[in-house]
DNA sequence: GGTAGAGTTGCGAGAAGGCA
DNA sequence: TGCCTTCTCGCAACTCTACC
């Protein structure tokens, strides 16, 4: 076998480098005898001798000094053995990672979600997954349903929790329905409405409101709810889709902000993001249209994605089964 | 000189690959 | 799919070298 001039991995493999040669090299290095090493790797001594000779020709240098009572690594042999041990360990690790990928215990899951379910469903799931499946990496996109649908069809996310709007052909997606998204009215903790007795929804309309731009899902749901209850839309409205800006305005002024109930629950919890906010208990059954878990019909999910979707569906079912 | 370990060579069986 | 070729590996036999 000619000694390869090119020492790239591909050239070495073309020249005859094989994994059994590296296994044998390590066995001989450990045992110090070709016959013992041959037995350990499951071959006869002549075969091992031949294999070692091939490896030395490929390496272009003697790897062992032969002695009457065994063999001793040369400097080149010690170097190659150290690298071979590392390479075999890397290969074993790679196979373990492939195994995890195939079983769904590892991999990347790209989730899209609207804000409310993101806090209510996705956040607790990720928290639990960090313990049970630490090798699964999450990439979470929080946006509006139309933007999430666009990301889904561009394959930038694996699935999303949100709504299927008019820009999506229902034949192209699979939707697991979750339920309506309740709305809460959020104000700062020393808002005058909190001191009022027999507070009604109509009382809130005397204050400025901050909510999505006209046409936004949440805003349409709020306006439709007011209409059903013979109430006019808020006369003074500041439009923004930014939750951060909404929080800033609530903190400084007497505005009323309709937000997803799950978001409001997090924001008013003491010790959480901002304990200085309160929920006005006048929103009744105000809610945005039902949302669901949306995935592409013709896309086969990776094992990790399938696992996470199943766990989300379990949580959704358990939540629906809970009283209240 | 006996023993142990390594190397070489020839032969054959079985697996793998190429091809019609 | 079947045939042919090539490759890999095991087995057996032998030689060489060094130690006891």
């Amino acid at each position: 076998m000619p000694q390869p001039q090119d020492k790239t991995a591909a050239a070495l493999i073309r020249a005859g480098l094989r994994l059994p040669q590296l296994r044998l090299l390590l066995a001989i290095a450990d045992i110090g005898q070709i016959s013992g090493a041959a037995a350990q790797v499951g071959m006869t001594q002549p075969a091992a001798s031949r294999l070692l000779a091939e490896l030395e020709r490929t390496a272009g240098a003697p790897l062992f000094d032969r002695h009457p009572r065994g063999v001793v690594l040369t400097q080149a042999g010690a170097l190659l053995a150290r690298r071979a041990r590392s390479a075999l360990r890397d290969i074993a690790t790679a196979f373990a990672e492939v195994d995890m990928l195939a079983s769904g215990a590892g991999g990347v899951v790209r989730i899209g979600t609207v804000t409310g379910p993101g806090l209510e469903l996705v956040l607790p799931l990720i928290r639990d997954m960090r313990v049970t499946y630490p090798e699964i990496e999450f990439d979470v996109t929080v946006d509006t349903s139309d933007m999430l649908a666009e990301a889904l069809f561009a394959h930038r996310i694996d699935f999303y929790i949100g709504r299927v709007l008019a820009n999506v052909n229902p034949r192209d997606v699979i939707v697991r329905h979750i339920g309506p998204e309740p709305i809460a009215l959020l104000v700062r903790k020393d808002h005058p409405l909190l001191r009022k007795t027999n507070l009604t929804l109509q009382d809130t309309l005397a204050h400025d409101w901050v909510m999505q731009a006209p046409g936004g899902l949440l805003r349409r749901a709020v306006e439709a709810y007011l209409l059903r209850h013979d109430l006019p839309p808020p006369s003074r409205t500041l439009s923004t889709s930014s939750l951060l800006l909404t929080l800033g305005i609530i903190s400084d002024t007497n505005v009323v902000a309709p937000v997803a109930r799950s978001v409001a629950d997090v924001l008013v919890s003491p010790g959480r993001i901002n304990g200085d906010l309160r929920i006005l208990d006048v929103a009744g059954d105000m809610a945005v249209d039902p949302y669901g878990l949306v995935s592409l019909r013709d896309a086969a999910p990776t094992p990790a994605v399938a696992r996470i979707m199943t766990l989300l569906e379990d949580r959704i079912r358990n939540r629906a089964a809970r009283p209240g």
Side-chain angles (χ1 to χ4, degrees):
Chain A
M1 188 182 301
Q3 183 188 326
Q5 297 300 309
D6 184 355
K7 297 287 185 183
T8 62
L12 289 171
I13 289 168
R14 274 199 302 276
L17 180 66
R18 287 169 292 142
L19 285 181
Q21 292 174 329
L22 299 184
R23 284 180 56 226
L24 177 68
L25 169 71
L26 297 183
I28 300 174
D30 290 342
I31 294 173
Q33 284 182 351
I34 293 179
S35 54
Q40 192 186 74
V41 302
M43 64 177 60
T44 59
Q45 179 270 323
S49 177
R50 228 186 314 232
L51 212 56
L52 179 59
E54 286 174 14
L55 182 60
E56 289 181 319
R57 275 196 297 274
T58 304
L63 304 176
F64 291 93
D65 286 328
R66 273 72 169 174
H67 297 283
R69 291 288 180 274
V71 292
V72 176
L73 278 169
T74 61
Q75 200 176 348
L79 175 68
L80 191 59
R82 193 168 61 246
R83 295 289 191 181
R85 209 179 291 280
S86 168
L88 290 176
R89 199 166 40 234
D90 282 352
I91 290 170
T93 303
F95 272 89
E97 288 175 357
V98 168
D99 191 45
M100 288 210 313
L101 204 61
S103 69
V108 179
V109 179
R110 301 163 306 165
I111 305 174
T113 178
V114 291
T115 309
L119 288 168
E120 193 178 8
L121 291 169
V122 178
L123 196 61
L125 178 76
I126 292 176
R127 199 169 50 222
D128 292 349
M129 290 299 100
R130 301 321 298 165
V131 177
T132 49
Y133 296 103
E135 298 304 323
I136 294 182
E137 187 181 326
F138 290 92
D139 180 352
V140 182
T141 301
V142 179
D143 214 323
T144 54
S145 292
D146 55 338
M147 298 305 289
L148 293 174
E150 191 181 312
L152 181 69
F153 282 99
H155 297 278
R156 292 197 301 273
I157 56 176
D158 296 307
F159 63 87
Y160 74 85
I161 299 174
R163 293 162 189 84
V164 178
L165 303 180
N167 61 336
V168 172
N169 184 347
R171 293 172 189 272
D172 294 336
V173 294
I174 298 171
V175 183
R176 287 86 162 172
H177 289 282
I178 296 176
E181 188 177 11
I183 295 172
L185 299 182
L186 207 58
V187 295
R188 64 190 173 108
K189 71 173 182 181
D190 46 1
H191 196 287
L193 285 174
L194 291 168
R195 294 190 293 273
K196 185 171 173 53
T197 52
N198 299 321
L199 179 68
T200 65
L201 184 55
Q202 187 164 16
D203 296 330
T204 66
L205 300 174
H207 293 266
D208 290 0
W209 281 44
V210 57
M211 53 183 175
Q212 287 179 324
L217 265 181
L218 189 140
R219 181 163 180 161
R220 283 214 311 269
V222 169
E223 290 171 349
Y225 184 87
L226 293 172
L227 200 61
R228 281 202 303 279
H229 290 79
D230 297 323
L231 293 170
S235 54
R236 294 188 304 275
T237 304
L238 173 64
S239 299
T240 177
S241 60
S242 164
L243 182 62
L244 198 61
L245 191 60
T246 301
L247 292 177
I249 296 168
I250 297 175
S251 299
D252 288 345
T253 65
N254 286 336
V255 299
V256 176
V259 298
R261 177 80 202 199
S262 49
V263 176
D265 285 341
V266 170
L267 292 175
V268 302
S269 302
R272 296 294 291 273
I273 298 172
N274 188 341
D276 291 341
L277 302 175
R278 297 291 182 272
I279 293 172
L280 294 176
D281 193 18
V282 291
D285 56 354
M286 189 187 293
V288 191
D289 291 346
Y291 63 100
L293 196 160
V294 186
S295 58
L296 287 176
R297 186 175 295 279
D298 60 354
T302 65
V305 171
R307 183 184 290 271
I308 295 304
M309 287 175 72
T310 302
L311 289 171
L312 268 173
E313 287 172 32
D314 287 346
R315 283 167 183 249
I316 292 162
R317 267 196 300 276
N318 291 340
R319 199 183 64 148
R322 277 203 306 269

